[in-house]
Amino acid sequence: MTRLTRLTRLTTALAGAALLWAGVPGPAAPAAPSRAAAPPLAPAPASHTVTVTSTAEGLSAPAVTRPGLTTFHASTTAAGKGWVGLARLKDGKGWDDFLGALSGALSNTPAEVPPGAAELNRTATLLGGLVVQPGQPGSFTQRLRPGRYLLFDYLTAGETTPRYRWLTVTGAPVDQGLTPTATFVSKNVAGLGPRLEVRGTPRAGEPLRYVNEIPGQVNELLFVKIAEGTTEAGLRAYFDSLPEDGSLPPGSPFTSLSLGSLHLSTGRSSVVRLALDRDRYAVITWSKDATDGTRLVQKGLFTIVDLG
């Protein structure tokens, strides 16, 4: 596959994914009023940190950091840019290999997803990241081993000038990071299929752990506000109506932009802290099943939570 073909395929996939990740039918959709705003995010005390900043001009991040528990603080000032992911590429793999594998795994063509997902598993380990919006920064904690990692912007990956930075991890280890107050686990449940399990009581503005236990599947965790009266049955019916082209049909129950954790490989976890309000949210993923290309939400991987 040529680089141009990869760029075209990934751009097409992300064009739809951007709206789906955002969680609204278009940029003009109004945000629902919050029941009560969460307190501003404060830095984790004494934590080992890496700051990643996206602007209209580019992406800035350090080139070197230490191993151990590391908290990434991410923010963006430019709409449509700055959804920063973290990955570790496998031996001998480079950016172009990663781009091609990612484009297949995120494709809006179901038949392309299984081979793309398999290629992605052979190419890289995805270690999460953040869906953030202008004025709504976030943080995530990941344990880093010595070596080289890739920080990249999902929303520019398919452009002719993608935004990515290499991060070298070296030196003495540290073990300080965000401490979660609740855990979300994506897992396969016998007789039901993929499901999202919530452990503990999630609260607005507090750190949350996300764990991906689905074999052979990269997956994300997104929070999006929903209209008053929305039920799980209503969400299921809406997900069943989604077309394959990545667009959102009319009647969306979502009333805000999404915030959340970007993709994790199987067996990986990340602790995220997001600018979430005290409100009612759907907790969802737009990832596709690595076995048949069907969206996981259409198989039941979602839930509704009230954040206090």
Side-chain angles (χ1 to χ4, degrees):
M1 184 184 299
T2 67
R3 177 175 174 79
L4 179 60
T5 302
R6 286 173 174 171
L7 287 171
T8 301
R9 191 169 78 169
L10 187 55
T11 300
T12 300
L14 288 179
L19 284 182
L20 289 176
W21 271 326
V24 293
S34 302
R35 294 179 189 168
L41 296 184
S47 63
H48 173 54
T49 64
V50 170
T51 299
V52 185
T53 304
S54 175
T55 66
E57 289 72 35
L59 183 71
S60 65
V64 179
T65 193
R66 294 162 60 188
L69 278 176
T70 305
T71 297
F72 292 79
H73 295 288
S75 62
T76 181
T77 60
K81 298 189 186 299
W83 294 357
V84 177
L86 177 68
R88 184 159 187 175
L89 274 55
K90 299 185 178 178
D91 290 346
K93 301 297 185 180
W95 169 255
D96 283 351
D97 301 305
F98 179 66
L99 181 66
L102 186 68
S103 67
L106 299 184
S107 175
N108 287 323
T109 302
E112 294 182 350
V113 174
E119 183 183 357
L120 184 59
N121 286 335
R122 291 189 295 268
T123 301
T125 299
L126 298 188
L127 298 169
L130 290 167
V131 172
V132 295
Q133 308 293 346
Q136 295 178 295
S139 303
F140 73 101
T141 290
Q142 188 57 258
R143 185 179 297 277
L144 304 181
R145 294 181 291 109
R148 192 169 77 148
Y149 292 76
L150 177 67
L151 285 163
F152 67 101
D153 187 343
Y154 273 84
L155 295 182
T156 68
E159 295 181 359
T160 55
T161 307
R163 297 181 177 191
Y164 64 93
R165 299 286 183 271
W166 295 104
L167 178 67
T168 298
V169 177
T170 186
V174 292
D175 275 310
Q176 298 169 326
L178 300 175
T179 301
T181 56
T183 298
F184 291 78
V185 182
S186 59
K187 59 193 293 186
N188 285 332
V189 177
L192 295 175
R195 291 295 184 270
L196 191 62
E197 179 181 311
V198 184
R199 303 169 184 169
T201 303
R203 297 188 181 280
E206 296 297 326
L208 306 167
R209 183 183 301 278
Y210 173 46
V211 182
N212 177 24
E213 294 184 354
I214 301 178
Q217 177 74 55
V218 299
N219 203 11
E220 63 196 350
L221 186 79
L222 303 176
F223 291 79
V224 58
K225 294 178 185 179
I226 51 178
E228 189 73 24
T230 300
T231 63
E232 290 199 358
L235 280 178
R236 183 181 297 277
Y238 185 73
F239 294 144
D240 287 342
S241 73
L242 293 174
E244 291 181 355
D245 64 5
S247 61
L248 285 173
S252 169
F254 306 131
T255 60
S256 76
L257 299 176
S258 292
L259 298 169
S261 169
L262 286 165
H263 300 83
L264 291 170
S265 292
T266 304
R268 297 289 174 167
S269 68
S270 178
V271 178
V272 298
R273 195 176 191 194
L274 306 163
L276 299 172
D277 297 325
R278 298 184 179 99
D279 214 323
R280 196 161 187 252
Y281 288 82
V283 189
I284 62 174
T285 172
W286 294 122
S287 298
K288 292 99 174 176
D289 193 311
T291 64
D292 60 14
T294 302
R295 290 191 179 89
L296 291 171
V297 289
Q298 294 174 316
K299 295 188 173 187
L301 189 63
F302 66 90
T303 192
I304 293 175
V305 295
D306 286 284
L307 298 186

